Amino acid sequence: MGHPKILFITLVQVIYCLRYSSASFNLYLSPQELQRLLGLQAELNYVRDGQINDYALNFTLPLSSKLNKLYFTWENTGSQKLPYSIKIDISNKIAIPHPKLNISATGFVPSSTQIFAVSLPCSETVDAEVNISIKISITFSDKNITTLDFKRKKTCINESIKNDVSKNSLTFADSSSVFYIAVCCAILLVLILGILITIYYVTDKKGRGTKTNGNGPGTTTTTTFLATLPRNSVNVSSYASFRRMPSYSLLDERSKDLQERITELSVQRCRVRLSSIILEGTFGRVYQGSYTNEEGNEETVIIKTVADHASQVQISLLLQEGMAMCSLNHKNILSILRVSIEDHSTPFLLYPFNNYKNLKIFLQKCKLSSEGVHHTLTTQEVVRMALQIIKAMQYLHKRHLLHKDLAARNCVVNDKLNIQVADNALSRDLFPSDYHCLGDNENRPVKWLALESLLHKTFSPASDVWSFGVLLWELTTLAQQPYIEIDPFEMAAYLKDGYRLAQPINCPDELFAVMAYCWAMSAEERPTFTQLHVCLQDFFTQLTKYV
């Protein structure tokens, strides 16, 4: 028989466990509430069976000025009564002077599922960003009081100023003003038409006076077709036409700085050697090769180039997109090493090799190989890769650069799962199923784009955050195609209706919550990459704490 003292301690522990195992409760946002706040069809658990979701609590949820009420669902699932107290702290009481609860500030957590509301109406007298803290304290015992702190940030707008402006606008737009504006517009239209007709006749007359069929002094000097080629036209001119003019002529006047950067990185073609093809599309090719540097040492490099039949537009895009991230120095960014452009030859873009491979292809190979499972990514590995991508994007945004096409296909990874973010040169050709044309003669990564980028072609750091959310989804699904069942032409309506990508199998709630926040309808409500880094770093620390 054991020692009496040890038995007594063990008995006390058992009694304690039995007593407080009956104390359990749930507190969450219902799918309807999350749909209203973020446009997502999901349930956000803050407390489930007594287990607290620290990650969800630590995130500050942004609120628009029109959201005046918050709804929480809770219930006591145990047999022990759980006293509670609720306190609301407001950082600016002029902006939100009267926060209210529709339940008592103190009482007991209900034993059945109930919803309570917190009213946070703006006074509409000041413009302000208001920090809100809703603290709910649950008493399990005299020595065990748990406080849950729900953080919100609400934008309040001074409606009186807006109304004054509207009234002034309406006062100005009276009948006499409308009449004078119409007269001015008519006169202006007549003047513009007169100028256009004059230009047409002068140009036509000049053309008839100089046109001849011979090679004498009267012959006009014709401009080559390539010099007038629009940037977004789909030209299928052959390589032979490209050879008749210098490579730099395919760049327009707006790309003089690009030409200067190319000149700085330019190397002779004789110092570059192609070895083997890594990826190949209709006109784009990626080689592994070597480059002899200034010291005479040979370096292994990746070389992006195009086939002989590539059009001028395709060559121009290769240079413009490939040079978009040149001269960047960060361990998580794949930046161009050298460029080789010579007349009568296709351009070469050289990148450091270091045993990196395309991330999308790597993820797809992780699913299955001929021997079975190739590699199973753990949650820790996924989060670690995501953190590296975030660091690269923080660096880009600090330099006021946007990626605009952040996706697994535009990242590379090595055997140690070190990630580098790359440019999107040749991606349209190498991954054609990821790009769609919506009738505007432009192939775009429709299913990776933020709603505002899809509708209005506007890009910002927040639109890169949206794309990162899709990339995180790619990491957790091993590069499945997002929205595979949705027609590209229906994507905008699908997103506007509040639908998003579903939570992947075996994806932790904490990780999916990060994705969901990246896909907030309003760009202002999405987190920054700095905030994402803090959230995922905390989650990564929790994952590795007991490993």
Side-chain angles (χ1 to χ4, degrees), residues 347-512:
F348 283 179
L349 306 185
L350 280 61
Y351 300 81
F353 176 53
N354 299 330
N355 292 314
Y356 280 86
K357 62 200 78 172
N358 185 272
L359 177 59
K360 178 161 186 164
I361 294 174
F362 167 79
L363 291 172
Q364 290 171 339
K365 287 182 178 179
C366 282
K367 293 178 182 177
L368 285 175
S369 67
S370 57
E371 294 80 19
V373 177
H374 180 70
H375 179 77
T376 302
L377 291 177
T378 65
T379 302
Q380 291 95 323
E381 289 172 330
V382 168
V383 175
R384 180 175 170 272
M385 288 193 287
L387 284 169
Q388 294 178 70
I389 295 167
I390 288 174
K391 289 175 183 176
M393 295 307 298
Q394 284 179 296
Y395 178 82
L396 278 179
H397 288 178
K398 282 180 182 177
R399 295 177 68 95
H400 307 290
L401 295 172
L402 301 176
H403 194 286
K404 299 184 181 181
D405 195 1
L406 185 60
R409 62 184 169 271
N410 293 322
C411 296
V412 293
V413 61
N414 66 7
D415 294 334
K416 296 182 179 179
L417 299 184
N418 294 321
I419 297 279
Q420 288 185 323
V421 175
D423 56 60
N424 64 332
L426 298 183
S427 289
R428 292 176 182 83
D429 183 55
L430 299 174
F431 301 94
S433 61
D434 290 357
Y435 294 84
H436 300 91
C437 181
L438 301 182
D440 53 3
N441 205 24
E442 181 183 352
N443 265 342
R444 294 187 287 158
V446 171
K447 297 184 178 182
W448 278 261
L449 290 179
L451 184 58
E452 68 274 11
S453 304
L454 192 56
L455 291 174
H456 311 297
K457 297 184 181 180
T458 58
F459 293 88
S460 66
S463 62
D464 275 348
V465 167
W466 179 297
S467 299
F468 170 77
V470 182
L471 171 51
L472 191 54
W473 187 87
E474 287 185 280
L475 289 174
T476 55
T477 61
L478 300 180
Q480 287 185 24
Q481 285 295 108
Y483 306 102
I484 193 168
E485 74 285 359
I486 306 301
D487 186 280
F489 285 90
E490 297 175 358
M491 273 302 299
Y494 187 79
L495 296 176
K496 286 173 72 176
D497 287 342
Y499 294 103
R500 298 293 187 269
L501 289 165
Q503 183 170 355
I505 298 173
N506 298 326
C507 173
D509 292 342
E510 294 86 351
L511 203 54
F512 184 64

Side-chain angles (χ1 to χ4, degrees), residues 77-89:
T77 58
S79 57
Q80 176 188 340
K81 285 190 175 182
L82 297 179
Y84 75 84
S85 63
I86 303 178
K87 180 183 178 183
I88 304 173
D89 291 328

Side-chain angles (χ1 to χ4, degrees), residues 524-544:
E524 291 76 17
E525 293 176 355
R526 294 172 210 150
T528 64
F529 276 107
T530 300
Q531 291 170 326
L532 286 171
H533 184 268
V534 172
C535 293
L536 282 182
Q537 187 61 59
D538 289 345
F539 184 45
F540 184 74
T541 302
Q542 293 176 21
L543 290 171
T544 56

Side-chain angles (χ1 to χ4, degrees), residues 112-129:
S112 60
T113 303
Q114 292 186 16
I115 298 173
F116 69 89
V118 181
S119 298
L120 301 165
C122 292
S123 64
E124 299 182 351
T125 58
V126 293
D127 291 328
E129 288 278 349

